[in-house]
Amino acid sequence: YAPDPEKVHDAHSIYFEILGEQGFVGLALFLAFAFLAFMETQRIRKATRDDPEKAWAFDLATALQASAKGCVPGPVVRQLMPDSGECVLELFVKPGGVVELRVQDGNGTPVVKQEIQHMLPLKPGTDEEQWGESVHSDDAGLARIDGLSPGTHKFRLAPERGNVWTWGREGQSQPEEPWSEVRVEAGQTASLTLRGKQRGSLSGLVREEGRPLEDAGVRLVPHDPNMTQGWAGWGGENDPLLATSDETGLYAFESLPVGTYRLFVTHKTRRHAKEYLVEVLGRGVIQNIDLLVARIEGRVLDEDGVPLVGVEVNLWPQGERIEVEPPYDLVYSEDESGSSDVDWKASPAATTRTDATGMYAMRGVLTEVPLIVQVQGPWTEEVQTPAFTLLDGEVRHGLDVRLRKAGRLQCSSAVTFDDSHWMHVEMARTDANGARLAREFTLSRWNTSEQLRGLLPGEWKVKTTIMGPQGPAAQPRESTLVIEVGRTLTTRLE
């Protein structure tokens, strides 16, 4: 399959070689065969452990496992194979070192299921660090890594923030834990104890308007006053700072670093997460949650008063905050041929669309913060409502929106750019009410085309300017584009 069969490269890694020659499917099959082979040797060892007549099979299976586990990869051996006859090829493996890790909190209590990050020794002649494979402590707070190359290995406790990223007003990031070093020698076992924070536990009941709320997602974010913005994604069942309530509304975190947390509650029927502040100072902390339901509803119409069906409606809180992703559902589906598919998908509360009468409704929305409803249809302008604020349990009716019909623009650049130049595009027009409408975007080597939706029909004045490191690199050029309702105008800008 090579474009030049005479130009041969040696990957020096069987994994990258399989990946390069067979692709990801081939690599998956290769790893699957390796796993099955290991499980088969394990089965042979169990079946022959106490049978003297089959001791040879036990020893062979053990040797096969040892050849793939607990040893450092040996040097690459190149051998020219003869056209005929036999050829003896000797391969070598080097015994690796072992590190036994113990994770404890400040009171000496084992910390279970704690992720431990690993940094490999520097390669000779380089200062580039390479990450090793992370491990997790077991139920006794222990972890073991074998087959390590000699040298200084570094370990640290991974930040227990789950699938959460936060930042501050001036771009501050969360501090990282310091590394602990240990010297690894071939054929020897080294020990290292890592100290974590004192542990606590948190549990409680989630209710909505007095009734237990099942399948509510409870997301914890370590509280830091400097971290005012962020994003919290759905981290799955292994996320240490994410729990789900059961049929009684009960949620529980059995092992948490002590401290103050921002607690967010989400549910597939609620549009936004509700936030609380909780302190975990030790074991047995209880935080019950009683939710009220704030609602909004309205209609989306065109300029003639006709209801618009299937239009997406968004509700955006204003100000700095942590955006918490709605929970995911396990969805089973079948296509027209009967093939089934199982996938995790965002809950329906993530988006809202108008019904056959143009109505939309959202429940469980944020309270006591400014909110804006944003609406745009496939062939209409984008409209935002004035900001408004709700109280807990409030229902706000009549948030109606009227949309004017619009067209689209699909444009690209007739100019070829290098890495240091780009095109700045400004579009403007005045609508029938005298309001100035404007759009701006850039085209570059990395962004060669742009599609604009929701452009009102009529003539738009377009100004294009080629920009460089020192500012404008050429005189601006002006042109006129005519947008029509329900149509996409395709053009190349100069």
Side-chain angles (χ1 to χ4, degrees):
Y1 303 101
D4 185 359
E6 301 299 326
K7 191 175 183 180
V8 180
H9 297 275
D10 190 348
H12 282 210
S13 168
I14 189 171
Y15 304 105
F16 284 104
E17 182 177 353
I18 292 293
L19 179 61
E21 295 180 358
Q22 308 297 335
F24 286 102
V25 174
L27 178 62
L29 291 173
F30 174 79
L31 295 176
F33 287 139
F35 175 76
L36 293 174
F38 182 85
M39 296 303 296
E40 180 65 15
T41 56
Q42 186 71 6
R43 185 191 66 80
I44 294 174
R45 292 180 74 248
K46 289 183 179 180
T48 60
R49 184 186 303 274
D50 300 321
D51 190 344
E53 295 183 358
K54 296 181 180 178
W56 63 271
F58 178 85
D59 294 339
L60 176 60
T62 302
L64 290 173
Q65 288 187 350
S67 67
K69 181 180 181 183
C71 293
V72 177
V76 176
V77 177
R78 293 183 175 87
Q79 177 69 47
L80 182 63
M81 305 299 291
D83 294 335
S84 61
E86 296 182 355
C87 178
V88 178
L89 183 64
E90 294 184 351
L91 301 176
F92 302 91
V93 292
K94 300 177 182 179
V98 177
V99 172
E100 293 181 345
L101 300 164
R102 182 184 301 272
V103 185
Q104 298 177 341
D105 66 13
N107 296 327
T109 304
V111 178
V112 303
K113 297 181 180 179
Q114 169 67 55
E115 182 183 358
I116 305 170
Q117 296 176 335
H118 178 201
M119 189 70 71
L120 300 174
L122 293 175
K123 293 183 179 180
T126 69
D127 57 357
E128 181 180 353
E129 293 184 316
Q130 183 178 2
W131 288 87
E133 184 177 357
S134 297
V135 295
H136 289 78
S137 59
D138 60 17
D139 292 338
L142 303 175
R144 175 186 171 96
I145 307 178
D146 51 21
L148 297 176
S149 58
T152 301
H153 291 250
K154 297 191 292 186
F155 299 90
R156 72 179 180 188
L157 302 181
E160 294 184 73
R161 59 183 174 223
N163 192 24
V164 177
W165 302 94
T166 57
W167 55 88
R169 292 185 178 88
E170 299 181 359
Q172 305 103 319
S173 59
Q174 295 171 322
E176 299 286 354
E177 293 290 330
W179 292 96
S180 297
E181 297 182 350
V182 61
R183 181 70 185 179
V184 175
E185 302 292 345
Q188 298 184 14
T189 300
S191 299
L192 180 65
T193 299
L194 299 174
R195 298 290 182 181
K197 292 183 178 180
Q198 181 182 346
R199 315 301 285 190
S201 63
L202 172 67
S203 62
L205 296 174
V206 181
R207 298 185 181 90
E208 185 182 72
E209 296 184 336
R211 294 183 294 273
L213 188 61
E214 184 179 2
D215 291 332
V218 181
R219 157 68 67 191
L220 296 180
V221 177
H223 178 57
D224 184 341
N226 294 322
M227 300 297 163
T228 57
Q229 303 176 71
W231 175 84
W234 183 80
E237 298 177 353
N238 295 323
D239 193 319
L241 298 184
L242 180 64
T244 304
S245 63
D246 62 16
E247 64 275 6
T248 67
L250 176 67
Y251 74 93
F253 296 92
E254 299 297 338
S255 180
L256 290 172
V258 296
T260 304
Y261 293 88
R262 299 171 70 173
L263 185 153
F264 296 88
V265 182
T266 61
H267 193 265
K268 61 185 178 182
T269 63
R270 298 180 65 89
R271 181 63 182 87
H272 293 132
K274 182 67 174 178
E275 180 179 354
Y276 300 86
L277 198 64
V278 58
E279 283 190 308
V280 179
L281 302 179
R283 296 283 177 179
V285 176
I286 303 243
Q287 177 72 42
N288 293 322
I289 300 166
D290 292 300
L291 301 170
L292 296 177
V293 181
R295 301 176 176 85
I296 65 170
E297 61 182 44
R299 299 184 71 192
V300 179
L301 311 170
D302 69 10
E303 52 196 327
D304 299 322
V306 178
L308 294 177
V309 181
V311 174
E312 183 174 328
V313 182
N314 291 296
L315 182 63
W316 304 116
Q318 304 301 292
E320 297 179 336
R321 69 191 188 97
I322 295 179
E323 179 71 29
V324 181
E325 190 176 39
Y328 276 54
D329 294 326
L330 189 61
V331 178
Y332 174 85
S333 60
E334 291 185 358
D335 58 21
E336 296 178 355
S337 64
S339 299
S340 60
D341 179 49
V342 178
D343 193 12
W344 291 98
K345 295 184 178 180
S347 69
T351 59
T352 300
R353 293 186 180 274
T354 56
D355 61 17
T357 65
M359 288 290 299
Y360 72 89
M362 299 183 190
R363 69 184 308 276
V365 303
L366 272 178
T367 58
E368 300 178 357
V369 297
L371 302 172
I372 289 178
V373 176
Q374 181 264 332
V375 186
Q376 182 178 17
W379 295 102
T380 68
E381 64 176 332
E382 176 185 316
V383 170
Q384 294 183 351
T385 66
F388 60 94
T389 304
L390 298 179
L391 300 176
D392 281 339
E394 181 181 353
V395 178
R396 181 71 59 89
H397 302 279
L399 290 172
D400 299 341
V401 178
R402 286 182 178 266
L403 302 179
R404 292 176 290 184
K405 298 175 182 178
R408 297 180 182 177
L409 173 65
Q410 178 71 46
C411 60
S412 59
S413 174
V415 181
T416 301
F417 300 105
D418 56 25
D419 291 344
S420 60
H421 290 81
W422 66 94
M423 177 185 291
H424 180 70
V425 183
E426 298 175 84
M427 300 179 57
R429 64 152 292 181
T430 302
D431 67 8
N433 299 322
R436 185 177 184 273
L437 309 174
R439 296 287 187 94
E440 293 187 30
F441 60 94
T442 59
L443 297 174
S444 66
R445 180 179 179 182
W446 314 109
N447 179 39
T448 58
S449 64
E450 187 81 13
Q451 184 182 77
L452 282 73
R453 297 172 53 193
L455 296 177
L456 291 180
E459 290 189 355
W460 286 76
K461 302 296 184 181
V462 181
K463 183 171 73 172
T464 59
T465 307
I466 304 299
M467 306 294 291
Q470 306 301 325
Q475 290 295 323
R477 303 188 63 170
E478 296 186 356
S479 59
T480 301
L481 296 177
V482 178
I483 302 298
E484 299 180 17
V485 170
R487 299 188 63 179
T488 300
L489 174 64
T490 302
T491 185
R492 291 171 61 85
L493 300 176
E494 299 181 353

